Amino acid sequence: MWNYQRAFERNIGLIDEEEQLRLRNSRVAIAGMGGVGGVHLMTLARLGIGRFTIADPDVFTVANFNRQYGATVPNLGRNKAEAMAEAALGVNPELDIRVMPSKVGPQNIDEFLSDADLYVDGLDFFATDARRLVFGQAARQGVWSITAGPIGFSTAWITFDPKGMSFDDYFDMRDDMDELDRLVAFVIGLTPRATHLPYTDLSKASIAEQRGPSASLACRLASGVLAAEAIAVLLRPHETKPAPHFFQFDAYRRKLSRGRLAFGNRGVLQRIKRAVLKRRILGGFADDPGAV
Protein backbone atom coordinates (compact mmCIF):
# COMPACT_ATOMS: atom_id res chain seq x y z
CA MET A 1 0.00 0.00 0.00
CA TRP A 2 1.20 3.54 -0.79
CA ASN A 3 2.42 5.50 2.23
CA TYR A 4 3.90 9.04 2.24
CA GLN A 5 6.55 8.37 4.89
CA ARG A 6 7.65 5.15 3.21
CA ALA A 7 7.66 6.73 -0.26
CA PHE A 8 10.00 9.58 0.70
CA GLU A 9 11.99 8.14 3.61
CA ARG A 10 15.21 8.07 1.59
CA ASN A 11 15.17 11.87 1.49
CA ILE A 12 15.93 11.75 5.22
CA GLY A 13 19.60 12.31 5.85
CA LEU A 14 19.67 15.01 3.19
CA ILE A 15 16.80 16.78 4.90
CA ASP A 16 15.33 15.91 8.30
CA GLU A 17 11.83 14.72 9.21
CA GLU A 18 10.60 18.19 10.15
CA GLU A 19 11.83 19.60 6.84
CA GLN A 20 10.13 16.77 4.95
CA LEU A 21 6.87 17.69 6.66
CA ARG A 22 7.36 21.30 5.58
CA LEU A 23 7.83 20.18 1.98
CA ARG A 24 4.67 18.10 2.26
CA ASN A 25 2.75 21.22 3.30
CA SER A 26 4.34 23.56 0.73
CA ARG A 27 2.61 24.74 -2.44
CA VAL A 28 4.58 25.33 -5.63
CA ALA A 29 2.97 27.11 -8.59
CA ILE A 30 4.34 26.19 -12.02
CA ALA A 31 3.33 27.98 -15.23
CA GLY A 32 4.04 25.81 -18.24
CA MET A 33 4.13 22.00 -18.39
CA GLY A 34 6.36 21.60 -21.43
CA GLY A 35 10.12 21.11 -21.75
CA VAL A 36 11.08 22.18 -18.25
CA GLY A 37 7.78 22.68 -16.45
CA GLY A 38 6.77 19.03 -16.69
CA VAL A 39 10.07 17.65 -15.45
CA HIS A 40 10.19 20.35 -12.73
CA LEU A 41 6.82 19.08 -11.51
CA MET A 42 7.92 15.45 -11.43
CA THR A 43 11.25 16.19 -9.73
CA LEU A 44 9.56 18.28 -7.04
CA ALA A 45 6.83 15.68 -6.58
CA ARG A 46 9.52 13.04 -5.94
CA LEU A 47 10.98 15.32 -3.26
CA GLY A 48 7.66 14.95 -1.46
CA ILE A 49 6.29 18.45 -2.06
CA GLY A 50 2.60 17.94 -1.44
CA ARG A 51 0.79 20.84 -3.09
CA PHE A 52 0.96 22.25 -6.60
CA THR A 53 -0.84 24.66 -8.88
CA ILE A 54 -0.02 24.03 -12.54
CA ALA A 55 -1.13 25.82 -15.71
CA ASP A 56 -0.76 25.26 -19.44
CA PRO A 57 -3.26 25.77 -22.30
CA ASP A 58 -1.35 23.67 -24.86
CA VAL A 59 -1.58 20.04 -25.94
CA PHE A 60 1.21 17.53 -26.57
CA THR A 61 2.34 17.11 -30.19
CA VAL A 62 5.01 15.04 -31.93
CA ALA A 63 7.30 18.12 -32.00
CA ASN A 64 7.57 17.85 -28.20
CA PHE A 65 9.01 14.32 -28.13
CA ASN A 66 12.73 15.20 -27.99
CA ARG A 67 12.54 16.95 -24.63
CA GLN A 68 9.17 17.02 -22.81
CA TYR A 69 8.42 14.61 -19.97
CA GLY A 70 4.76 14.19 -20.83
CA ALA A 71 5.29 13.81 -24.59
CA THR A 72 4.28 10.18 -25.15
CA VAL A 73 2.10 8.52 -27.75
CA PRO A 74 -0.82 8.05 -25.32
CA ASN A 75 -0.67 11.77 -24.48
CA LEU A 76 -0.80 13.08 -28.06
CA GLY A 77 -3.49 15.76 -28.26
CA ARG A 78 -4.01 15.86 -24.49
CA ASN A 79 -3.79 19.10 -22.52
CA LYS A 80 -0.34 19.29 -20.96
CA ALA A 81 -1.47 20.42 -17.50
CA GLU A 82 -4.08 17.67 -17.24
CA ALA A 83 -1.70 14.97 -18.47
CA MET A 84 1.10 16.06 -16.13
CA ALA A 85 -1.24 16.23 -13.15
CA GLU A 86 -2.11 12.60 -13.84
CA ALA A 87 1.60 11.69 -13.98
CA ALA A 88 2.33 13.50 -10.70
CA LEU A 89 -0.59 11.79 -8.97
CA GLY A 90 0.94 8.52 -10.09
CA VAL A 91 3.94 9.38 -7.89
CA ASN A 92 1.96 10.77 -4.95
CA PRO A 93 -1.77 9.99 -4.98
CA GLU A 94 -2.24 12.31 -1.98
CA LEU A 95 -1.18 15.42 -3.89
CA ASP A 96 -3.27 18.57 -3.59
CA ILE A 97 -2.90 19.65 -7.22
CA ARG A 98 -4.87 22.43 -8.86
CA VAL A 99 -4.98 22.21 -12.64
CA MET A 100 -5.50 25.24 -14.88
CA PRO A 101 -5.68 24.19 -18.57
CA SER A 102 -5.40 27.84 -19.63
CA LYS A 103 -2.90 30.66 -20.01
CA VAL A 104 -1.83 32.56 -16.93
CA GLY A 105 -2.82 36.17 -17.45
CA PRO A 106 -4.20 39.23 -15.66
CA GLN A 107 -7.59 37.53 -15.40
CA ASN A 108 -6.35 34.57 -13.33
CA ILE A 109 -2.91 35.49 -11.94
CA ASP A 110 -4.23 35.90 -8.38
CA GLU A 111 -5.92 32.50 -8.52
CA PHE A 112 -2.78 30.93 -9.93
CA LEU A 113 -0.52 32.28 -7.15
CA SER A 114 -3.06 31.84 -4.35
CA ASP A 115 -1.30 30.54 -1.19
CA ALA A 116 1.84 29.61 -3.17
CA ASP A 117 5.12 29.35 -1.26
CA LEU A 118 7.21 29.33 -4.45
CA TYR A 119 6.74 30.13 -8.13
CA VAL A 120 8.63 28.01 -10.67
CA ASP A 121 9.01 29.25 -14.24
CA GLY A 122 8.13 26.68 -16.89
CA LEU A 123 7.01 29.16 -19.54
CA ASP A 124 8.17 28.97 -23.13
CA PHE A 125 11.41 30.88 -23.74
CA PHE A 126 9.61 33.38 -26.00
CA ALA A 127 6.81 34.21 -23.50
CA THR A 128 8.40 37.37 -22.12
CA ASP A 129 5.13 39.22 -21.45
CA ALA A 130 3.68 36.35 -19.43
CA ARG A 131 6.99 35.86 -17.63
CA ARG A 132 7.14 39.51 -16.57
CA LEU A 133 3.54 39.36 -15.37
CA VAL A 134 4.00 36.28 -13.18
CA PHE A 135 7.38 37.24 -11.72
CA GLY A 136 6.12 40.74 -10.96
CA GLN A 137 2.93 39.56 -9.26
CA ALA A 138 4.81 36.89 -7.30
CA ALA A 139 7.12 39.56 -5.89
CA ARG A 140 4.18 41.77 -4.96
CA GLN A 141 2.61 38.83 -3.11
CA GLY A 142 5.85 38.02 -1.27
CA VAL A 143 6.46 34.78 -3.19
CA TRP A 144 9.99 33.62 -4.10
CA SER A 145 10.51 32.73 -7.78
CA ILE A 146 12.99 30.63 -9.72
CA THR A 147 13.74 30.42 -13.42
CA ALA A 148 15.87 27.45 -14.52
CA GLY A 149 15.89 26.56 -18.16
CA PRO A 150 17.69 24.54 -20.85
CA ILE A 151 20.32 26.42 -22.84
CA GLY A 152 22.02 24.19 -25.41
CA PHE A 153 23.54 21.32 -23.44
CA SER A 154 23.53 23.46 -20.29
CA THR A 155 21.17 24.97 -17.79
CA ALA A 156 21.06 28.52 -16.44
CA TRP A 157 19.18 29.59 -13.35
CA ILE A 158 18.37 32.66 -11.27
CA THR A 159 16.38 32.90 -8.03
CA PHE A 160 14.37 36.00 -7.10
CA ASP A 161 13.78 37.07 -3.51
CA PRO A 162 10.55 39.12 -3.29
CA LYS A 163 12.45 41.54 -1.06
CA GLY A 164 15.43 41.76 -3.38
CA MET A 165 16.17 42.73 -6.98
CA SER A 166 13.10 42.19 -9.14
CA PHE A 167 12.86 40.30 -12.42
CA ASP A 168 12.35 43.53 -14.42
CA ASP A 169 15.23 45.30 -12.64
CA TYR A 170 17.66 42.42 -13.16
CA PHE A 171 16.82 41.90 -16.84
CA ASP A 172 16.22 45.62 -17.47
CA MET A 173 12.77 44.93 -18.91
CA ARG A 174 10.44 47.82 -19.68
CA ASP A 175 6.97 48.20 -21.14
CA ASP A 176 8.26 50.25 -24.09
CA MET A 177 10.66 47.55 -25.33
CA ASP A 178 9.80 45.58 -28.47
CA GLU A 179 9.77 41.78 -28.59
CA LEU A 180 13.30 41.43 -29.93
CA ASP A 181 14.77 43.70 -27.24
CA ARG A 182 12.96 41.76 -24.51
CA LEU A 183 14.20 38.40 -25.81
CA VAL A 184 17.75 39.70 -26.13
CA ALA A 185 17.61 41.08 -22.60
CA PHE A 186 16.33 37.76 -21.27
CA VAL A 187 18.96 35.56 -22.88
CA ILE A 188 21.86 37.91 -22.09
CA GLY A 189 20.76 38.30 -18.48
CA LEU A 190 20.17 34.57 -18.04
CA THR A 191 23.56 33.59 -19.51
CA PRO A 192 26.06 36.43 -19.04
CA ARG A 193 28.99 34.07 -19.78
CA ALA A 194 27.16 32.19 -22.61
CA THR A 195 29.12 28.93 -22.36
CA HIS A 196 26.78 27.34 -24.94
CA LEU A 197 27.59 29.65 -27.85
CA PRO A 198 30.63 27.74 -29.26
CA TYR A 199 28.48 24.75 -30.21
CA THR A 200 25.08 26.37 -30.84
CA ASP A 201 23.91 27.17 -34.38
CA LEU A 202 21.78 30.27 -33.83
CA SER A 203 20.49 30.14 -37.41
CA LYS A 204 18.33 27.17 -36.36
CA ALA A 205 16.33 29.40 -34.00
CA SER A 206 13.47 31.61 -35.13
CA ILE A 207 11.59 34.33 -33.32
CA ALA A 208 8.88 34.29 -35.97
CA GLU A 209 8.26 30.56 -35.46
CA GLN A 210 9.06 30.73 -31.73
CA ARG A 211 11.43 27.78 -31.79
CA GLY A 212 15.07 27.05 -31.08
CA PRO A 213 17.50 24.14 -30.63
CA SER A 214 16.76 22.21 -27.44
CA ALA A 215 17.68 18.91 -25.81
CA SER A 216 16.14 16.66 -23.20
CA LEU A 217 19.37 16.41 -21.23
CA ALA A 218 19.35 20.17 -20.61
CA CYS A 219 15.77 19.99 -19.33
CA ARG A 220 16.88 17.32 -16.84
CA LEU A 221 19.85 19.44 -15.76
CA ALA A 222 17.49 22.36 -15.24
CA SER A 223 15.13 20.34 -13.06
CA GLY A 224 18.00 19.15 -10.88
CA VAL A 225 19.29 22.63 -10.10
CA LEU A 226 15.72 23.93 -9.80
CA ALA A 227 14.91 21.32 -7.16
CA ALA A 228 18.06 22.17 -5.21
CA GLU A 229 17.13 25.86 -5.29
CA ALA A 230 13.57 25.00 -4.23
CA ILE A 231 14.87 23.14 -1.18
CA ALA A 232 16.93 26.18 -0.23
CA VAL A 233 14.04 28.61 -0.71
CA LEU A 234 11.44 26.50 1.12
CA LEU A 235 13.64 25.17 3.93
CA ARG A 236 16.81 27.24 4.23
CA PRO A 237 16.36 30.65 2.58
CA HIS A 238 19.48 31.99 4.30
CA GLU A 239 21.49 29.67 2.02
CA THR A 240 20.14 31.14 -1.24
CA LYS A 241 22.00 33.46 -3.57
CA PRO A 242 19.20 35.38 -5.32
CA ALA A 243 19.49 37.93 -8.12
CA PRO A 244 21.70 39.67 -8.99
CA HIS A 245 23.57 36.33 -8.67
CA PHE A 246 23.47 34.14 -11.80
CA PHE A 247 24.54 30.57 -12.56
CA GLN A 248 25.07 28.39 -15.64
CA PHE A 249 26.29 24.80 -15.72
CA ASP A 250 27.35 23.45 -19.10
CA ALA A 251 27.59 19.65 -18.96
CA TYR A 252 28.96 19.42 -22.51
CA ARG A 253 31.83 21.81 -21.83
CA ARG A 254 32.10 20.79 -18.15
CA LYS A 255 31.93 24.39 -17.01
CA LEU A 256 30.19 26.11 -14.11
CA SER A 257 29.82 29.85 -14.58
CA ARG A 258 28.66 31.98 -11.70
CA GLY A 259 28.75 35.62 -10.81
CA ARG A 260 26.94 38.69 -9.59
CA LEU A 261 25.68 41.52 -11.76
CA ALA A 262 25.27 44.36 -9.30
CA PHE A 263 23.34 46.41 -11.87
CA GLY A 264 21.79 43.48 -13.70
CA ASN A 265 21.47 44.03 -17.43
CA ARG A 266 21.90 47.76 -16.91
CA GLY A 267 25.63 47.34 -16.40
CA VAL A 268 27.91 48.63 -19.16
CA LEU A 269 29.21 45.20 -20.25
CA GLN A 270 25.72 43.73 -20.34
CA ARG A 271 24.49 46.63 -22.47
CA ILE A 272 27.32 46.03 -24.92
CA LYS A 273 26.50 42.30 -25.11
CA ARG A 274 22.85 43.10 -25.78
CA ALA A 275 23.75 45.52 -28.55
CA VAL A 276 26.14 43.02 -30.15
CA LEU A 277 23.58 40.20 -30.08
CA LYS A 278 20.87 42.42 -31.52
CA ARG A 279 23.16 43.53 -34.37
CA ARG A 280 24.06 39.90 -35.01
CA ILE A 281 20.41 38.96 -35.22
CA LEU A 282 19.45 41.82 -37.51
CA GLY A 283 22.60 41.77 -39.62
CA GLY A 284 23.72 38.17 -39.67
CA PHE A 285 20.36 36.81 -40.81
CA ALA A 286 19.05 39.69 -42.91
CA ASP A 287 17.39 37.28 -45.37
CA ASP A 288 15.14 36.03 -42.56
CA PRO A 289 14.17 38.85 -40.17
CA GLY A 290 12.53 36.29 -37.87
CA ALA A 291 15.69 34.26 -37.34
CA VAL A 292 17.87 34.58 -34.24
Side-chain angles (χ1 to χ4, degrees):
M1 294 179 64
W2 194 91
N3 175 275
Y4 181 91
Q5 285 74 20
R6 180 65 174 161
F8 302 109
E9 65 183 359
R10 294 199 180 186
N11 292 345
I12 306 306
L14 301 173
I15 59 177
D16 61 32
E17 288 84 354
E18 187 274 334
E19 289 176 322
Q20 186 68 65
L21 179 60
R22 287 164 60 189
L23 291 182
R24 187 178 189 179
N25 293 322
S26 295
R27 178 174 297 278
V28 177
I30 310 175
M33 286 285 108
V36 287
V39 72
H40 286 345
L41 171 66
M42 299 306 295
T43 304
L44 295 175
R46 291 193 186 278
L47 278 177
I49 289 174
R51 300 174 180 174
F52 293 95
T53 302
I54 62 175
D56 198 311
D58 293 333
V59 299
F60 285 112
T61 69
V62 174
N64 304 143
F65 272 55
N66 79 313
R67 67 200 183 282
Q68 298 192 15
Y69 186 99
T72 62
V73 171
N75 280 341
L76 280 172
R78 292 190 65 192
N79 174 263
K80 292 181 180 181
E82 292 173 348
M84 288 309 305
E86 183 178 292
L89 286 165
V91 171
N92 179 357
E94 296 178 359
L95 282 180
D96 173 356
I97 185 163
R98 302 172 187 164
V99 181
M100 300 174 62
S102 57
K103 290 183 179 180
V104 176
Q107 75 284 354
N108 61 8
I109 184 66
D110 290 336
E111 177 189 359
F112 174 69
L113 290 172
S114 177
D115 71 2
D117 300 292
L118 171 66
Y119 167 63
V120 166
D121 180 18
L123 291 167
D124 185 270
F125 173 82
F126 296 93
T128 53
D129 287 343
R131 187 168 277 113
R132 291 182 66 208
L133 170 70
V134 184
F135 274 90
Q137 187 62 24
R140 286 187 288 273
Q141 294 184 198
V143 178
W144 285 71
S145 304
I146 307 171
T147 185
I151 306 290
F153 295 136
S154 78
T155 182
W157 68 100
I158 302 174
T159 299
F160 290 90
D161 179 345
K163 298 179 181 178
M165 180 178 278
S166 71
F167 179 92
D168 275 4
D169 284 345
Y170 176 83
F171 286 102
D172 191 25
M173 295 267 194
R174 303 182 309 277
D175 292 339
D176 61 352
M177 295 170 68
D178 62 26
E179 181 182 15
L180 177 58
D181 283 328
R182 290 195 301 269
L183 289 171
V184 167
F186 184 58
V187 71
I188 293 296
L190 190 62
T191 60
R193 306 271 170 81
T195 64
H196 57 288
L197 281 184
Y199 58 79
T200 301
D201 182 355
L202 295 180
S203 71
K204 301 302 182 183
S206 171
I207 293 176
E209 298 177 15
Q210 295 197 347
R211 62 170 175 79
S214 58
S216 175
L217 71 90
C219 296
R220 269 58 179 177
L221 290 173
S223 72
V225 300
L226 180 282
E229 287 291 299
I231 288 172
V233 167
L234 295 171
L235 303 179
R236 308 158 187 173
H238 62 281
E239 296 182 0
T240 61
K241 288 187 177 295
H245 292 273
F246 66 86
F247 303 88
Q248 182 176 6
F249 173 63
D250 196 312
Y252 186 76
R253 298 186 65 197
R254 302 172 185 86
K255 287 189 174 185
L256 172 65
S257 297
R258 56 191 296 179
R260 183 177 184 275
L261 299 178
F263 302 102
N265 262 349
R266 292 170 294 171
V268 174
L269 184 56
Q270 289 298 105
R271 287 181 177 273
I272 292 172
K273 292 177 184 177
R274 289 160 64 184
V276 169
L277 179 57
K278 185 174 181 180
R279 282 200 301 271
R280 183 176 179 184
I281 292 169
L282 296 177
F285 306 103
D287 292 337
D288 180 7
V292 177

